[in-house]
């Protein structure tokens, strides 16, 4: 907490005025962070990390910092993550009890040994006040003196919300609706690991850091725990982080990520903790802007196909990208069309992963894609390549197991009538993203005639899927299969 907020350890020669100046500086910096959180710029993870750091140190300055956080953004923390707040309450109670016990045993000794030394231990009255405050916060009993502050904060948040809404209307795509998920460790490691929230600043690291003052071969008596040891530890940490980043970049090259944009997307997707983390990094890195999102979509589909088993992470990430940038739906369709041309050359594992990904995208409530994407597959009942049969069989099985009969009827009846296509595609097929651009606007076509596709699907379902071992009486698979066949025959 001290390192981040600008404080410093007392060296014994600090005057009372200097000590007070340090406290004010740290408090002002902390207030900036608190209001960045209140106004939706940073996530509550950063604030909770700071709170845990304050509790771990628990000096007078840390207790004051805790009071600032609780007073200015306590209610927002409670609403964002009440479970974490409960853990914080337990930590505060335990730390406060230990601090009070230590104060009782050391007060006399400290006063006799250093009467002029400023006392850095928090007073018991301040500790009790802080504990009472955080317990009231957990029990949702806000203090009256905080009401005026909350009203001002809420008024400013509404004003900022209107500004964000106005700005989002001038940008292509939808706003992400999420804030910067940066952690305290990300901030502290910025000099060695880079700043992933800034485009192009994540993978470089600290390549021009200061060299260690001495190495193990020229030890002139440096003591353990000195600044030299700290430099060596920092160099070791930087080396480990560099090896991890180099590993991701090497893997990106092995997967034929031949452009900077694709390498960046690959490293973000493979190095993220979860779907929200990956999506946030893609947005902050500017990799989902118009036209730039094409590389993101293709890399996501590629990574999904290369997994040893299907990972729903890629489906959810693709859905988030399509929700944010509507143009991505068309790029996603073209990506599958390109994959259909190469199904014969893919291993069965990749074919299965892509089939399950497509089933997830078509069967989801958002309908990122429709059944019309299959119109580029050549159906030949007597002479179909084995991989195409495998792809369609796995796709149908995954779709039937994840949807109800009503959804199946809608999927097969309406086909691709709501697919996102360009105005230039009304009279001809579109085979590239560049052909999709028509004045920079996305339009929808009239309902497509998918009668031939539905006829081919009906034959395939009767010839291959109906003989599946999953087709048993009373199963969801059986009811959805019958619904799909009936819908195809009716239309």
């Amino acid at each position: 907490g001290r390192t981040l907020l600008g404080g410093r350890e007392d060296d014994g020669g600090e005057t009372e005025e200097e000590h007070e100046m340090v406290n004010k500086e740290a408090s002002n910096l902390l207030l900036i962070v608190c209001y960045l959180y209140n106004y939706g710029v940073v996530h509550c993870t950063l604030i909770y990390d700071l709170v845990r750091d304050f509790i771990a140190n628990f000096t007078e300055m840390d207790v004051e910092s805790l009071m600032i956080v609780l007073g200015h953004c306590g209610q927002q923390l409670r609403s964002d993550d009440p479970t974490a707040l409960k853990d914080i309450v337990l930590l505060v109670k335990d730390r406060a009890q230990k601090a009070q016990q230590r104060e009782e045993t050391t007060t006399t000794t400290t006063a006799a040994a250093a009467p002029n030394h400023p006392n850095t231990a928090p007073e018991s009255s301040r500790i009790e006040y802080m504990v009472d405050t955080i317990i009231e916060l957990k029990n949702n009993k806000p203090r009256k003196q905080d009401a005026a502050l909350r009203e001002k904060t809420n008024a400013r948040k509404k004003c900022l919300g209107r500004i964000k809404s106005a700005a989002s209307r001038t940008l292509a795509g939808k706003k992400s609706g999420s804030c910067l998920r940066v952690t305290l460790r990300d901030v502290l490691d910025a000099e060695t690991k880079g700043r992933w929230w800034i485009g192009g600043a994540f993978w470089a690291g600290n390549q021009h850091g200061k060299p260690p003052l001495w190495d193990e071969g020229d030890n002139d008596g440096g003591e353990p725990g000195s600044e030299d040891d700290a430099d060596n530890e920092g160099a070791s940490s930087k080396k480990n982080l560099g090896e991890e980043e180099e590993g991701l970049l090497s893997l990106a090259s092995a997967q034929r990520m031949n452009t900077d944009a694709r390498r960046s997307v690959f490293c973000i997707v493979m190095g993220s903790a979860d779907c929200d983390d990956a999506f946030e990094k893609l947005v902050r890195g500017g990799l989902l802007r118009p036209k730039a999102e094409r590389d993101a979509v293709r890399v996501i589909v590629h990574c999904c196909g290369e997994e040893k088993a299907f990972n729903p992470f890629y489906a959810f990430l693709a859905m988030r990208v399509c929700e944010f940038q509507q143009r991505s739906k068309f790029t996603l369709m073209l990506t599958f069309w390109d994959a259909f041309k190469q199904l014969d050359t893919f291993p069965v594992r990749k074919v299965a992963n892509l089939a399950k990904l497509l089933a997830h995208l078509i069967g989801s409530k958002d309908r990122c894609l429709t059944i019309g994407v299959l119109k580029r597959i050549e159906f030949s009942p007597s002479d179909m390549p084995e991989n195409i049969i495998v792809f369609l069989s796995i796709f149908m099985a995954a779709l039937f197991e994840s949807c109800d009969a009503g959804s199946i009827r809608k999927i097969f009846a309406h086909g691709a009538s709501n697919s996102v296509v360009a105005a230039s595609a009304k009279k001809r097929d579109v085979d590239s993203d560049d052909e999709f651009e028509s004045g920079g606007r996305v339009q929808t076509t009239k309902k497509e005639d998918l009668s031939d596709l539905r006829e081919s699907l009906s034959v395939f379902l009767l010839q291959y899927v109906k003989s599946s071992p999953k087709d048993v009486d009373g199963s969801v698979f059986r009811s959805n299969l019958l619904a799909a066949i009936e819908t195809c025959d009716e239309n």
Side-chain angles (χ1 to χ4, degrees):
R2 288 177 177 268
T3 303
L4 178 64
L5 298 178
R8 59 178 182 272
E9 298 292 342
D10 184 19
D11 58 3
E14 187 181 71
T15 65
E16 184 177 351
E17 292 182 356
E18 292 174 341
H19 183 71
E20 183 178 358
M21 183 64 68
V22 169
N23 287 349
K24 289 182 177 179
E25 180 183 0
S27 299
N28 291 335
L29 292 173
L30 181 60
L31 280 172
I32 294 176
V33 177
C34 287
Y35 279 95
L36 286 175
Y37 164 64
N38 283 339
Y39 297 143
V41 178
V42 297
H43 194 256
C44 65
T45 304
L46 176 61
I47 305 299
Y48 275 122
D49 286 348
L50 286 171
V51 170
R52 293 187 182 95
D53 189 68
F54 296 148
I55 295 173
N57 295 324
F58 217 69
T59 62
E60 180 182 358
M61 181 176 171
D62 294 310
V63 172
E64 181 180 350
S65 299
L66 283 170
M67 294 301 301
I68 291 174
V69 172
L70 296 176
H72 289 269
C73 53
Q75 287 294 326
Q76 187 67 29
L77 286 172
R78 185 183 185 279
S79 61
D80 285 349
D81 196 347
T83 303
L85 183 61
K86 292 179 181 179
D87 297 336
I88 294 298
V89 171
L90 297 177
L91 290 174
V92 168
K93 287 182 177 180
D94 180 66
R95 199 70 174 88
Q97 184 178 3
K98 291 180 180 179
Q100 288 176 348
Q101 292 175 354
R102 185 171 62 250
E103 181 185 7
E104 293 175 358
T105 58
T106 60
T107 300
T108 305
T109 305
T110 303
N116 297 325
H117 192 282
N119 183 18
T120 59
E123 298 178 0
S124 58
S125 60
R126 291 181 62 83
I127 294 177
E128 293 176 1
Y129 181 79
M130 181 196 63
V131 173
D132 292 341
T133 301
I134 197 170
I135 290 177
E136 290 180 357
L137 178 63
K138 181 181 77 74
N139 296 331
N140 198 21
K141 295 180 180 179
R143 295 173 179 259
K144 294 182 180 180
Q145 55 266 35
D146 297 335
L149 181 62
R150 287 197 303 273
E151 290 179 1
K152 293 181 180 179
T153 302
N154 291 335
R156 296 189 183 103
K157 287 174 68 175
K158 291 180 181 179
C159 180
L160 289 174
R162 290 192 293 268
I163 295 174
K164 289 181 180 179
S165 299
S168 65
R169 288 193 292 268
T170 64
L171 301 175
K174 297 182 179 179
K175 57 182 180 181
S176 65
S178 56
C179 52
L180 181 60
R181 291 176 175 267
V182 61
T183 64
L184 179 60
R185 178 53 53 193
D186 291 332
V187 177
L188 296 178
D189 291 345
E191 294 299 325
T192 56
K193 192 175 181 179
R195 297 165 175 81
W196 60 258
W197 56 93
I198 300 177
F202 181 46
W203 309 110
N206 184 14
Q207 299 178 353
H208 305 288
K210 295 181 180 180
L213 299 178
W214 57 277
D215 53 35
E216 295 181 358
D218 298 326
N219 191 352
D220 293 331
E223 298 180 359
S226 63
E227 293 183 359
D228 300 333
D229 290 330
D231 287 342
N232 284 340
E233 291 177 1
S236 176
S237 175
K238 181 179 69 174
K239 181 179 179 181
N240 293 335
L241 292 171
E243 291 176 354
E244 180 181 353
E245 294 163 6
E246 289 177 2
L248 282 172
L249 290 174
S250 299
L251 185 59
S253 299
Q255 294 296 322
R256 300 183 299 279
M257 301 296 154
N258 50 10
T259 65
D260 291 338
R262 294 198 177 189
R263 281 191 289 269
S264 297
V265 173
F266 181 87
C267 291
I268 288 175
V269 171
M270 302 305 295
S272 298
D274 53 28
C275 177
D276 291 337
D277 185 29
F279 175 73
E280 185 67 31
K281 291 177 180 178
L282 290 173
V283 173
R284 298 291 177 180
L287 296 171
L288 297 183
R289 294 193 300 266
K291 294 188 178 182
E293 95 284 351
R294 300 173 184 174
D295 288 321
V297 170
R298 292 185 178 275
V299 170
I300 291 171
V301 174
H302 174 84
C303 292
C304 179
E306 294 299 319
E307 291 283 353
K308 294 182 179 180
F310 174 68
N311 189 345
F313 162 82
Y314 298 103
F316 288 113
L317 181 57
M319 290 167 59
R320 290 290 301 274
V321 172
C322 290
E323 179 184 5
F324 178 79
Q325 182 60 266
Q326 291 293 317
R327 297 169 183 265
S328 300
K329 292 183 179 181
F330 190 79
T331 302
L332 195 59
M333 182 175 68
L334 293 182
T335 304
F336 274 102
W337 285 357
D338 291 340
F340 294 160
K341 299 174 184 177
Q342 308 175 53
L343 279 180
D344 290 343
T345 64
F346 289 164
V348 177
R349 168 183 50 80
K350 185 172 183 178
V351 172
N353 288 345
L354 293 179
K356 293 177 181 179
L357 175 63
L358 182 60
H360 195 115
L361 295 173
I362 291 178
S364 64
K365 294 181 179 179
D366 295 334
R367 297 286 193 273
C368 294
L369 292 175
T370 65
I371 203 72
V373 72
L374 298 177
K375 67 182 181 181
R376 286 303 182 92
I377 294 180
E378 295 183 4
F379 290 85
S380 176
S382 60
D383 186 23
M384 286 184 68
E386 181 180 358
N387 272 7
I388 293 181
I389 297 175
V390 170
F391 176 86
L392 291 173
S393 299
I394 295 176
F395 165 76
M396 294 298 178
L399 189 64
F400 292 159
E401 291 176 343
S402 61
C403 299
D404 55 32
S407 298
I408 291 296
R409 288 190 177 92
K410 291 180 180 179
I411 290 172
F412 282 83
H414 297 287
S417 59
N418 295 325
S419 293
V420 178
V421 292
S424 58
K426 290 184 177 180
K427 297 181 180 179
R428 58 184 176 85
D429 286 336
V430 182
D431 292 307
S432 70
D433 292 319
D434 291 329
E435 293 179 11
F436 171 63
E437 297 296 333
S438 178
R441 299 183 61 186
V442 181
Q443 301 181 7
T444 56
T445 63
K446 299 178 181 179
K447 186 174 180 178
E448 294 184 70
D449 182 11
L450 297 177
S451 55
D452 292 340
L453 174 62
R454 280 189 282 268
E455 182 179 353
S456 299
L457 288 175
S458 179
V459 174
F460 181 86
L461 292 173
L462 291 170
Q463 183 174 356
Y464 294 100
V465 182
K466 196 170 179 59
S467 60
S468 170
K470 296 181 180 180
D471 183 24
V472 296
D473 292 336
S475 65
V476 176
F477 186 95
R478 164 67 69 84
S479 61
N480 286 339
L481 173 60
L482 295 177
I485 294 175
E486 291 174 1
T487 305
C488 290
D489 292 342
E490 292 172 357
N491 293 274

